[in-house]
Amino acid sequence: MEQDVESSAAVRKPKLPKQAREDLPKQLAEIDRAKKIQRYVQKDGKCNVHHGNVRETYRYLTDIFTTLVDLKWRFNLFIFVLVYTVTWLFFGLMWWLIAYLRGDLDHLADGQWTPCVNNLNGFVSAFLFSIETETTIGYGYRVITDKCPEGIVLLLVQSVLGSIVNAFMVGCMFVKISQPKKRAETLVFSTNAVISMRDGRLCLMFRVGDLRNSHIVEASIRAKLIKSKQTKEGEFIPLNQTDINVGYNTGDDRLFLVSPLIICHEINQHSPFWEISQAHLAKEELEIVVILEGMVEATGMTCQARSSYVGSEIKWGYRFMPVLTLEDGFYEVDYNSFHEIYETNTPACSAKELADMAARARLPLTWSLASKLSQQGLAESEQEGQDSKAGPESQDKAAERNGEIANLESESKV
């Protein structure tokens, strides 16, 4: 038997001061709050995945256009300026080299000499002529003459390559500017997802909205459950993706996003939340990634907005506050209440347990009694077949059992 007696050999822990004992829970709470939640997708839609140890970096150069578009703006502008400056310097050097080899720089004061390019007297003037040629400015001061075939060939090459550089760089900048990423900034998701009853079924819900008056055409919504799992064979699958049905079978996943909508996922036997209760949800390490896609009405380009909900952001037993009101001749959306939720009566058990309780509640008492009697009757009929061979004593016992069954039936009717 254990006794609450302190042993003489036991080492006593030093007693903390009163102020330290009072501050310790606060410090632990602050540490817990400061601990960051590891997300797969951030709330603003950015994917929290970094690619490391990529050895085949040449693959980025095979698709140089997409690589340039994906670069940050500061690098993109730096490359834009660098490409034009390098081409102007290169062809300026070529124009200066032609003038140097032909001896034009040695006959600057000779009025009888026909240079390749008039008024080209050094590298700086050759560089300015290169800029005028590639950008087709044409000030008219420096002009190529017809006595320089090598200059004519260089003029053709620079005109063609300059057009290619212009098309590539201007096209890259146009695509970079017209990307619909910023359009996704006006597509908003609710801060929290909620779980509550709707039409007698347990449902997971979140809200989406569009802040602009120009609409998203062909808008559709998808949801994925990100959760690590282990197979029956022992294989561990990190960040396994499971599809969450938000109305794919009924067409509810295709949205007419004029006003904020509540996206509903019914938790049924096909749902990954079928066996998850309120207590179980608080312990689960999971993340729900929601993806809203559609075409921008103004440009026709495809836009995608993403967000995510971790376990602590899924509120059990809550609903969303209404945001739509009818005014004089129009409907008004109050975005101040877009993220607000209120508590509602919701069972804390899982959807599976709720379905089992509902099935047991619908089971009538007379059906269970009749089923029990039929099972007894089947067993006793088999016993009667054996007793008929045994003699009259066994038949008397069978008659007594039949009388007991009749009494049970009469009592159930009463």
Side-chain angles (χ1 to χ4, degrees), residues 110-366:
D110 190 357
Q112 302 297 325
W113 182 265
T114 305
C116 183
V117 179
N118 290 328
N119 301 315
L120 194 149
N121 52 18
F123 179 75
V124 176
S125 60
F127 176 68
L128 294 175
F129 180 71
S130 174
I131 296 176
E132 295 175 19
T133 302
E134 189 166 333
T135 57
T136 65
I137 294 176
Y139 290 115
Y141 182 68
R142 298 176 184 88
V143 184
I144 188 172
T145 62
D146 56 357
K147 303 297 183 181
C148 182
E150 59 272 20
I152 296 174
V153 173
L154 182 61
L155 178 64
L156 294 174
V157 173
Q158 185 176 6
S159 299
V160 173
L161 291 181
S163 300
I164 295 174
V165 170
N166 287 335
F168 187 83
M169 298 308 300
V170 173
C172 179
M173 294 298 293
F174 175 77
V175 173
K176 183 76 174 176
I177 294 172
S178 61
Q179 276 186 318
K181 289 183 179 180
K182 295 302 179 182
R183 178 63 177 91
E185 297 293 333
T186 54
L187 298 174
V188 291
F189 297 87
S190 57
T191 305
N192 297 301
V194 298
I195 295 179
S196 60
M197 299 296 293
R198 175 177 278 192
D199 294 331
R201 296 177 177 87
L202 204 61
C203 296
L204 169 70
M205 293 169 283
F206 58 93
R207 179 182 272 166
V208 296
D210 187 4
L211 302 180
R212 286 188 180 272
N213 291 327
S214 59
H215 308 308
I216 295 294
V217 182
E218 296 292 334
S220 62
I221 191 76
R222 292 184 291 132
K224 293 283 186 180
L225 174 65
I226 309 297
K227 180 183 176 183
S228 301
K229 62 174 284 189
Q230 188 170 7
T231 63
K232 296 179 181 179
E233 294 78 14
E235 179 188 5
F236 180 73
I237 304 177
L239 301 177
N240 181 62
Q241 298 184 12
T242 305
D243 189 65
I244 299 177
N245 188 4
V246 289
Y248 177 78
N249 300 328
T250 59
D252 292 338
D253 61 328
R254 294 185 289 273
L255 310 178
F256 182 51
L257 198 58
V258 177
S259 61
L261 299 175
I262 297 177
I263 310 301
C264 178
H265 163 66
E266 179 184 340
I267 303 178
N268 52 27
Q269 59 270 24
H270 303 292
S271 171
F273 299 95
W274 175 242
E275 298 180 357
I276 294 181
S277 62
Q278 183 178 6
H280 193 191
L281 180 63
K283 302 176 183 179
E284 281 288 331
E285 294 184 1
L286 55 85
E287 182 177 354
I288 300 174
V289 178
V290 293
I291 305 168
L292 177 62
E293 293 179 322
M295 290 189 300
V296 182
E297 187 179 31
T299 62
M301 301 185 71
T302 303
C303 172
Q304 184 181 92
R306 297 179 295 267
S307 187
S308 68
Y309 303 99
V310 295
S312 60
E313 296 171 344
I314 303 174
K315 304 300 182 182
W316 192 290
Y318 285 85
R319 289 178 184 164
F320 287 105
M321 291 287 293
V323 296
L324 197 64
T325 57
L326 178 60
E327 300 295 334
D328 187 12
F330 62 92
Y331 293 96
E332 184 177 1
V333 178
D334 181 16
Y335 279 99
N336 290 329
S337 305
F338 182 83
H339 301 284
E340 293 184 5
I341 56 178
Y342 65 95
E343 195 169 1
T344 182
N345 292 328
T346 303
C349 61
S350 65
K352 181 181 179 181
E353 295 172 346
L354 192 63
D356 292 341
M357 288 188 292
R360 286 195 297 268
R362 289 193 300 266
L363 188 64
L365 178 63
T366 56

